[in-house]
Amino acid sequence: MTHVDAAEVQRLIQEGRAAALAGDSFAARSAFRRATELDTESAEAWIGLSSVVPILHEKLGYLQRALVIAPEHAEARMSVAYVEKLIADGMQIAPSQRTYERHASGDSSPLLATAAPEATPTAETLFCYIHPDRETGLRCVQCTRPICGQCAKPAAVGQLCPECRKERRPTNYKVEPRDLALISVTAIVVALLISGLLSIIPGFGIFISIGAGWLGGVAIVRAVDRVTRTKRGRSVQIVTGIGIAIGVLLGGMLVISVRVLASAEVQTFLAANPGGGSQLIGIIIGAVLSNTTLLIFAVVAVIVAMRQLR
């Protein structure tokens, strides 16, 4: 698939989600179906299509197709279990469509023959539980709390509120403060050790520095995976990147400080200028920041780590 095709598929998926939230199921189905035609291997397109079809067996088929493409997709797995339960309970049409079908068919549709009685709709005015000033007609399909269009997150079984959506995220994307603390310490220590070694060994060229950055980034990701059990996400990327930068700075400063302090000229300077320590620290930091090998290593390592921790 070309880059243009991929961009078109993503546009159609976004268009389908927007139409679904606006209540235009026909436009949503058209957009998602077109996306599946352009890219038959897009799990998100199949999940989106499953969210806007009313028949449960059809919905289940699309979800199973998505799982074939992405077996570890947590939302699709949970949605399959939910739809299978509804089918096992004798339902044939998605709950979100049942009220409309009852009013349209006078409760005579054979698809609704096994449906449990539903309460008569009321004219109650609902307000988003996150934005109390916004009137809405949407509810989270999991917790049933009212949500506005901005808070509604499309899912295979309907719209979810941000909290329920977060609960459905895969375990490795649920990051706690303890995980971030472990990640920062791990990234700093590993980056410090590698950058210290690079500072000791002179004569690195640009290509060797790039290779060292790639290997260092991979090593840091493996270390982070070990201490956090493969946590992923934006917060993990940011903390790891900051940790690498701090580790490289500290590692370079440590080696350069040892070299500088071992110099007889510096010892003489400090003896003659007791307050010259702060000036010396500035010189050391400047030396680290002007070290091309360390800068290349840090940039490449951060890029590698950010890509692998998405």
Side-chain angles (χ1 to χ4, degrees), residues 243-267:
I244 292 173
I246 294 174
V248 170
L249 179 62
L250 293 178
M253 287 181 61
L254 179 63
V255 173
I256 293 175
S257 297
V258 172
R259 289 177 178 172
V260 169
L261 293 176
S263 169
E265 292 81 358
V266 173
Q267 294 293 340

Side-chain angles (χ1 to χ4, degrees), residues 94-244:
S96 60
Q97 302 288 330
R98 298 171 69 82
T99 302
Y100 173 80
E101 289 287 342
R102 276 180 183 273
H103 289 287
S105 64
D107 206 17
S108 60
S109 170
L111 292 176
L112 302 174
T114 59
E118 295 185 16
T120 302
T122 65
E124 177 186 4
T125 301
L126 301 176
F127 294 90
C128 176
Y129 80 92
I130 297 177
H131 304 99
D133 59 328
R134 299 181 184 178
E135 187 175 342
T136 182
L138 299 175
R139 286 183 181 271
C140 172
V141 297
Q142 183 164 310
C143 67
T144 71
R145 289 181 293 182
I147 47 178
C148 64
Q150 179 181 341
C151 295
K153 307 298 179 182
V157 293
Q159 66 273 356
L160 296 169
C161 68
E163 293 180 11
C164 292
R165 174 74 173 188
K166 184 177 180 181
E167 291 176 2
R168 283 176 170 246
R169 298 191 74 191
T171 304
N172 62 328
Y173 281 90
K174 296 178 180 178
V175 182
E176 304 294 335
R178 175 178 175 274
D179 297 319
L180 296 178
L182 287 173
I183 290 167
S184 63
V185 172
T186 301
I188 289 173
V189 170
V190 177
L192 186 152
L193 293 174
I194 299 176
S195 62
L197 181 61
L198 292 177
S199 299
I200 292 174
I201 304 174
F204 277 100
I206 182 171
F207 294 108
I208 296 179
S209 299
I210 292 174
W214 184 85
L215 292 174
V218 172
I220 291 167
V221 170
R222 295 295 175 268
V224 168
D225 284 347
R226 183 174 290 275
V227 299
T228 64
R229 297 184 179 180
T230 66
K231 294 294 184 181
R232 293 290 185 271
R234 180 63 60 83
S235 59
V236 175
Q237 290 177 299
I238 293 173
V239 172
T240 302
I242 294 174
I244 292 173

